[in-house]
Tab-separated table of all heavy atoms in Angstrom:
chain	number	residue	atom	x	y	z
A	102	TYR	N	36.568	-17.080	-41.858
A	102	TYR	CA	36.097	-15.776	-41.379
A	102	TYR	C	36.032	-15.739	-39.856
A	102	TYR	O	36.331	-14.717	-39.237
A	102	TYR	CB	34.730	-15.456	-41.984
A	102	TYR	CG	34.804	-14.975	-43.411
A	102	TYR	CD1	34.249	-15.710	-44.463
A	102	TYR	CD2	35.429	-13.764	-43.732
A	102	TYR	CE1	34.321	-15.261	-45.777
A	102	TYR	CE2	35.505	-13.310	-45.035
A	102	TYR	CZ	34.952	-14.060	-46.056
A	102	TYR	OH	35.017	-13.607	-47.351
A	103	PHE	N	35.653	-16.866	-39.252
A	103	PHE	CA	35.634	-16.944	-37.788
A	103	PHE	C	37.032	-16.691	-37.236
A	103	PHE	O	37.224	-15.888	-36.320
A	103	PHE	CB	35.128	-18.317	-37.355
A	103	PHE	CG	34.910	-18.459	-35.871
A	103	PHE	CD1	33.626	-18.535	-35.356
A	103	PHE	CD2	35.972	-18.525	-34.985
A	103	PHE	CE1	33.406	-18.669	-33.984
A	103	PHE	CE2	35.770	-18.662	-33.623
A	103	PHE	CZ	34.485	-18.731	-33.115
A	104	ASP	N	38.008	-17.382	-37.802
A	104	ASP	CA	39.380	-17.246	-37.316
A	104	ASP	C	39.910	-15.829	-37.475
A	104	ASP	O	40.798	-15.401	-36.735
A	104	ASP	CB	40.304	-18.217	-38.055
A	104	ASP	CG	40.034	-19.670	-37.671
A	104	ASP	OD1	39.425	-19.900	-36.606
A	104	ASP	OD2	40.408	-20.573	-38.446
A	105	ALA	N	39.359	-15.091	-38.450
A	105	ALA	CA	39.773	-13.707	-38.690
A	105	ALA	C	38.904	-12.706	-37.920
A	105	ALA	O	39.007	-11.496	-38.139
A	105	ALA	CB	39.718	-13.400	-40.183
A	106	ASP	N	38.067	-13.207	-37.026
A	106	ASP	CA	37.171	-12.365	-36.222
A	106	ASP	C	36.150	-11.618	-37.069
A	106	ASP	O	35.618	-10.587	-36.639
A	106	ASP	CB	37.961	-11.359	-35.375
A	106	ASP	CG	38.794	-12.035	-34.292
A	106	ASP	OD1	38.604	-13.245	-34.063
A	106	ASP	OD2	39.635	-11.353	-33.691
A	107	GLN	N	35.855	-12.115	-38.246
A	107	GLN	CA	34.831	-11.496	-39.104
A	107	GLN	C	33.540	-12.302	-38.956
A	107	GLN	O	33.151	-13.086	-39.821
A	107	GLN	CB	35.317	-11.445	-40.555
A	107	GLN	CG	36.538	-10.555	-40.742
A	107	GLN	CD	36.904	-10.351	-42.197
A	107	GLN	OE1	36.052	-10.391	-43.088
A	107	GLN	NE2	38.187	-10.129	-42.467
A	108	TYR	N	32.874	-12.088	-37.838
A	108	TYR	CA	31.781	-12.967	-37.448
A	108	TYR	C	30.537	-12.806	-38.312
A	108	TYR	O	29.801	-13.761	-38.512
A	108	TYR	CB	31.458	-12.766	-35.966
A	108	TYR	CG	32.645	-13.047	-35.081
A	108	TYR	CD1	33.257	-12.031	-34.360
A	108	TYR	CD2	33.183	-14.329	-35.013
A	108	TYR	CE1	34.366	-12.295	-33.567
A	108	TYR	CE2	34.287	-14.603	-34.233
A	108	TYR	CZ	34.880	-13.579	-33.511
A	108	TYR	OH	35.981	-13.836	-32.747
A	109	ASP	N	30.292	-11.606	-38.831
A	109	ASP	CA	29.124	-11.431	-39.693
A	109	ASP	C	29.256	-12.268	-40.966
A	109	ASP	O	28.288	-12.890	-41.425
A	109	ASP	CB	28.934	-9.957	-40.050
A	109	ASP	CG	28.438	-9.135	-38.865
A	109	ASP	OD1	27.754	-9.715	-37.998
A	109	ASP	OD2	28.736	-7.933	-38.803
A	110	GLU	N	30.453	-12.274	-41.539
A	110	GLU	CA	30.683	-13.102	-42.724
A	110	GLU	C	30.613	-14.586	-42.364
A	110	GLU	O	30.095	-15.401	-43.134
A	110	GLU	CB	32.038	-12.779	-43.357
A	110	GLU	CG	32.049	-11.515	-44.176
A	110	GLU	CD	31.156	-11.615	-45.407
A	110	GLU	OE1	31.230	-12.640	-46.109
A	110	GLU	OE2	30.376	-10.680	-45.654
A	111	ALA	N	31.139	-14.936	-41.203
A	111	ALA	CA	31.066	-16.334	-40.756
A	111	ALA	C	29.616	-16.769	-40.606
A	111	ALA	O	29.238	-17.875	-41.014
A	111	ALA	CB	31.826	-16.506	-39.444
A	112	ILE	N	28.787	-15.892	-40.037
A	112	ILE	CA	27.362	-16.210	-39.880
A	112	ILE	C	26.728	-16.495	-41.240
A	112	ILE	O	25.956	-17.449	-41.399
A	112	ILE	CB	26.642	-15.052	-39.159
A	112	ILE	CG1	27.020	-15.038	-37.674
A	112	ILE	CG2	25.119	-15.170	-39.315
A	112	ILE	CD1	26.571	-13.789	-36.928
A	113	LYS	N	27.053	-15.670	-42.214
A	113	LYS	CA	26.494	-15.855	-43.551
A	113	LYS	C	26.842	-17.239	-44.108
A	113	LYS	O	25.971	-17.968	-44.599
A	113	LYS	CB	27.040	-14.773	-44.476
A	113	LYS	CG	26.741	-15.011	-45.948
A	113	LYS	CD	27.510	-14.027	-46.829
A	113	LYS	CE	27.394	-14.418	-48.305
A	113	LYS	NZ	28.197	-13.517	-49.171
A	114	TRP	N	28.109	-17.618	-44.009
A	114	TRP	CA	28.536	-18.877	-44.621
A	114	TRP	C	28.109	-20.092	-43.804
A	114	TRP	O	27.784	-21.137	-44.372
A	114	TRP	CB	30.044	-18.861	-44.869
A	114	TRP	CG	30.401	-17.942	-45.996
A	114	TRP	CD1	30.947	-16.693	-45.919
A	114	TRP	CD2	30.187	-18.193	-47.392
A	114	TRP	NE1	31.095	-16.156	-47.166
A	114	TRP	CE2	30.634	-17.053	-48.091
A	114	TRP	CE3	29.654	-19.252	-48.121
A	114	TRP	CZ2	30.575	-16.948	-49.484
A	114	TRP	CZ3	29.592	-19.161	-49.493
A	114	TRP	CH2	30.046	-18.030	-50.163
A	115	TYR	N	28.095	-19.974	-42.475
A	115	TYR	CA	27.540	-21.080	-41.682
A	115	TYR	C	26.064	-21.277	-42.033
A	115	TYR	O	25.580	-22.410	-42.112
A	115	TYR	CB	27.673	-20.807	-40.178
A	115	TYR	CG	29.048	-21.032	-39.613
A	115	TYR	CD1	29.633	-20.104	-38.750
A	115	TYR	CD2	29.783	-22.187	-39.911
A	115	TYR	CE1	30.893	-20.311	-38.200
A	115	TYR	CE2	31.048	-22.394	-39.375
A	115	TYR	CZ	31.590	-21.449	-38.523
A	115	TYR	OH	32.844	-21.660	-37.985
A	116	GLY	N	25.347	-20.170	-42.240
A	116	GLY	CA	23.948	-20.274	-42.624
A	116	GLY	C	23.761	-20.993	-43.943
A	116	GLY	O	22.861	-21.829	-44.099
A	117	GLU	N	24.637	-20.676	-44.909
A	117	GLU	CA	24.547	-21.355	-46.205
A	117	GLU	C	24.870	-22.843	-46.071
A	117	GLU	O	24.240	-23.690	-46.716
A	117	GLU	CB	25.481	-20.685	-47.211
A	117	GLU	CG	25.018	-19.302	-47.643
A	117	GLU	CD	25.636	-18.860	-48.958
A	117	GLU	OE1	26.211	-19.717	-49.665
A	117	GLU	OE2	25.533	-17.663	-49.278
A	118	ALA	N	25.852	-23.162	-45.248
A	118	ALA	CA	26.199	-24.569	-45.038
A	118	ALA	C	25.028	-25.325	-44.409
A	118	ALA	O	24.716	-26.455	-44.793
A	118	ALA	CB	27.447	-24.679	-44.163
A	119	LEU	N	24.369	-24.693	-43.445
A	119	LEU	CA	23.255	-25.357	-42.766
A	119	LEU	C	22.025	-25.477	-43.652
A	119	LEU	O	21.213	-26.388	-43.469
A	119	LEU	CB	22.909	-24.607	-41.479
A	119	LEU	CG	23.936	-24.785	-40.352
A	119	LEU	CD1	23.634	-23.837	-39.207
A	119	LEU	CD2	23.960	-26.226	-39.863
A	120	ALA	N	21.895	-24.581	-44.620
A	120	ALA	CA	20.789	-24.712	-45.570
A	120	ALA	C	20.924	-25.996	-46.377
A	120	ALA	O	19.933	-26.590	-46.803
A	120	ALA	CB	20.750	-23.503	-46.494
A	121	LEU	N	22.163	-26.433	-46.560
A	121	LEU	CA	22.428	-27.660	-47.315
A	121	LEU	C	22.521	-28.881	-46.406
A	121	LEU	O	22.217	-30.000	-46.822
A	121	LEU	CB	23.728	-27.505	-48.105
A	121	LEU	CG	23.712	-26.401	-49.178
A	121	LEU	CD1	25.122	-26.157	-49.701
A	121	LEU	CD2	22.779	-26.786	-50.323
A	122	ASN	N	22.973	-28.679	-45.182
A	122	ASN	CA	23.154	-29.797	-44.241
A	122	ASN	C	22.648	-29.344	-42.873
A	122	ASN	O	23.433	-29.012	-41.986
A	122	ASN	CB	24.627	-30.193	-44.174
A	122	ASN	CG	24.840	-31.429	-43.318
A	122	ASN	OD1	23.898	-32.139	-42.975
A	122	ASN	ND2	26.090	-31.699	-42.950
A	123	PRO	N	21.332	-29.304	-42.696
A	123	PRO	CA	20.750	-28.661	-41.510
A	123	PRO	C	20.978	-29.380	-40.189
A	123	PRO	O	20.713	-28.794	-39.132
A	123	PRO	CB	19.255	-28.612	-41.833
A	123	PRO	CG	19.032	-29.699	-42.837
A	123	PRO	CD	20.295	-29.778	-43.645
A	124	ASN	N	21.470	-30.600	-40.222
A	124	ASN	CA	21.634	-31.360	-38.986
A	124	ASN	C	23.092	-31.496	-38.545
A	124	ASN	O	23.419	-32.383	-37.753
A	124	ASN	CB	21.016	-32.750	-39.141
A	124	ASN	CG	19.514	-32.693	-39.308
A	124	ASN	OD1	18.859	-31.792	-38.802
A	124	ASN	ND2	18.960	-33.646	-40.038
A	125	ASP	N	23.959	-30.624	-39.029
A	125	ASP	CA	25.370	-30.658	-38.628
A	125	ASP	C	25.497	-29.953	-37.277
A	125	ASP	O	25.496	-28.721	-37.191
A	125	ASP	CB	26.243	-29.972	-39.679
A	125	ASP	CG	27.722	-30.163	-39.428
A	125	ASP	OD1	28.146	-30.145	-38.254
A	125	ASP	OD2	28.474	-30.323	-40.412
A	126	VAL	N	25.600	-30.735	-36.216
A	126	VAL	CA	25.594	-30.194	-34.859
A	126	VAL	C	26.765	-29.243	-34.637
A	126	VAL	O	26.626	-28.191	-33.998
A	126	VAL	CB	25.613	-31.344	-33.834
A	126	VAL	CG1	25.805	-30.810	-32.424
A	126	VAL	CG2	24.323	-32.156	-33.916
A	127	ASN	N	27.932	-29.602	-35.165
A	127	ASN	CA	29.101	-28.750	-34.953
A	127	ASN	C	28.923	-27.386	-35.598
A	127	ASN	O	29.267	-26.353	-35.011
A	127	ASN	CB	30.358	-29.433	-35.495
A	127	ASN	CG	30.763	-30.635	-34.672
A	127	ASN	OD1	30.505	-30.700	-33.478
A	127	ASN	ND2	31.390	-31.599	-35.316
A	128	VAL	N	28.399	-27.368	-36.811
A	128	VAL	CA	28.194	-26.100	-37.510
A	128	VAL	C	27.126	-25.267	-36.814
A	128	VAL	O	27.257	-24.044	-36.673
A	128	VAL	CB	27.836	-26.337	-38.990
A	128	VAL	CG1	27.443	-25.033	-39.680
A	128	VAL	CG2	29.025	-26.956	-39.725
A	129	ILE	N	26.067	-25.907	-36.344
A	129	ILE	CA	25.022	-25.192	-35.609
A	129	ILE	C	25.620	-24.520	-34.371
A	129	ILE	O	25.352	-23.349	-34.080
A	129	ILE	CB	23.884	-26.145	-35.201
A	129	ILE	CG1	23.162	-26.686	-36.436
A	129	ILE	CG2	22.890	-25.436	-34.280
A	129	ILE	CD1	22.216	-27.840	-36.130
A	130	THR	N	26.450	-25.265	-33.660
A	130	THR	CA	27.076	-24.714	-32.458
A	130	THR	C	28.014	-23.566	-32.806
A	130	THR	O	28.038	-22.532	-32.127
A	130	THR	CB	27.824	-25.821	-31.702
A	130	THR	OG1	26.893	-26.837	-31.320
A	130	THR	CG2	28.495	-25.275	-30.450
A	131	ASP	N	28.783	-23.739	-33.882
A	131	ASP	CA	29.693	-22.671	-34.302
A	131	ASP	C	28.923	-21.411	-34.676
A	131	ASP	O	29.360	-20.291	-34.388
A	131	ASP	CB	30.540	-23.142	-35.482
A	131	ASP	CG	31.502	-24.265	-35.094
A	131	ASP	OD1	31.743	-24.442	-33.894
A	131	ASP	OD2	32.003	-24.952	-35.996
Side-chain angles (χ1 to χ4, degrees):
Y102 282 115
F103 187 109
D104 290 340
D106 293 349
Q107 296 188 29
Y108 301 113
D109 288 332
E110 282 295 314
I112 287 169
K113 169 190 170 183
W114 288 103
Y115 282 134
E117 290 200 14
L119 287 171
L121 297 169
N122 185 14
N124 294 330
D125 189 322
V126 172
N127 290 331
V128 173
I129 295 168
T130 300
D131 294 343

